[in-house]
Amino acid sequence: MRVFATLMALATAPALAAPALQLTAGAGGALEIRNGGDLIARLEPKTPVLRRGTPVLRDRIVAGHHLAELRIPMRGTPGEEVWIGEVEGRGRRVIWSGATGPRDADGESSIWVEATAERVIEYQTAPGITRCDGQPPRLFLRAYDFDSGRFRPILTLPTRGANPLVAHRGD
């Protein structure tokens, strides 16, 4: 009876989860992303070691694809060095890599990238452009298309207002 109870406990126990992604330091300031013992990527950030903040590695599932999102804050700026890549199967590839934040010394425009449950998006912002609802506008919005392996523009139409305007001839 004890053997049966032990077997039932093992059978109903939750399955072991896949190993989580780990970030390790490599030689010469490089960073390595590992999935268990498997080396997924070896990255050599462009940000000098002394200007790097603490890197953050996130495990993401985006539109059914397993992604790794690595963000390295750049000290003294609002930007980050970002690497997003697919980590499983034959589709292992870099989806986005580069620096986010202000694109010039004046901060007139910035570029950002986000990974949500639905998609990976890239957009720009500009402090001189505002929306009437106070939210920061997302300019030149693009989403990653997993089928084609590239970013495509997202075309959005404005929502219909509460009171439609009707055009009339004359005054």
Side-chain angles (χ1 to χ4, degrees):
M1 196 63 174
R2 281 187 184 160
V3 172
F4 178 73
T6 304
L7 289 175
M8 285 304 294
L10 289 174
T12 58
L16 293 175
L21 297 177
Q22 300 104 19
L23 184 64
T24 59
L31 298 172
E32 296 178 346
I33 298 175
R34 295 186 173 273
N35 190 1
D38 189 18
L39 177 65
I40 301 297
R42 184 174 196 282
L43 310 167
E44 296 189 22
K46 292 180 175 44
T47 307
V49 175
L50 294 177
R51 297 246 359 249
R52 294 181 201 167
T54 303
V56 176
L57 178 65
R58 290 186 181 96
D59 211 348
R60 300 266 193 211
I61 301 296
V62 176
H65 296 265
H66 186 193
L67 306 181
E69 176 185 23
L70 176 64
R71 292 183 175 267
I72 306 167
M74 294 186 284
R75 291 188 178 135
T77 73
E80 300 173 307
E81 195 167 336
V82 179
W83 182 90
I84 300 173
E86 202 160 358
V87 297
E88 283 185 355
R90 293 182 306 163
R92 281 189 184 177
R93 59 185 157 191
V94 176
I95 291 174
W96 199 95
S97 67
T100 62
R103 298 178 75 181
D104 58 10
D106 296 338
E108 292 175 348
S109 68
S110 299
I111 190 165
W112 304 100
V113 65
E114 293 178 13
T116 67
E118 297 83 32
R119 57 192 173 184
V120 177
I121 57 171
E122 174 195 72
Y123 59 94
Q124 295 179 31
T125 60
I129 300 173
T130 59
R131 288 179 18 175
C132 57
D133 62 0
Q135 295 295 318
R138 293 180 172 187
L139 309 170
F140 310 110
L141 192 61
R142 300 183 328 147
Y144 187 76
D145 179 8
F146 286 96
D147 293 332
S148 68
R150 59 186 221 155
F151 279 87
R152 296 193 180 275
I154 298 175
L155 303 175
T156 58
L157 297 174
T159 57
R160 183 178 175 148
N163 298 322
L165 300 176
V166 180
H168 295 283
R169 288 186 178 232
D171 65 348

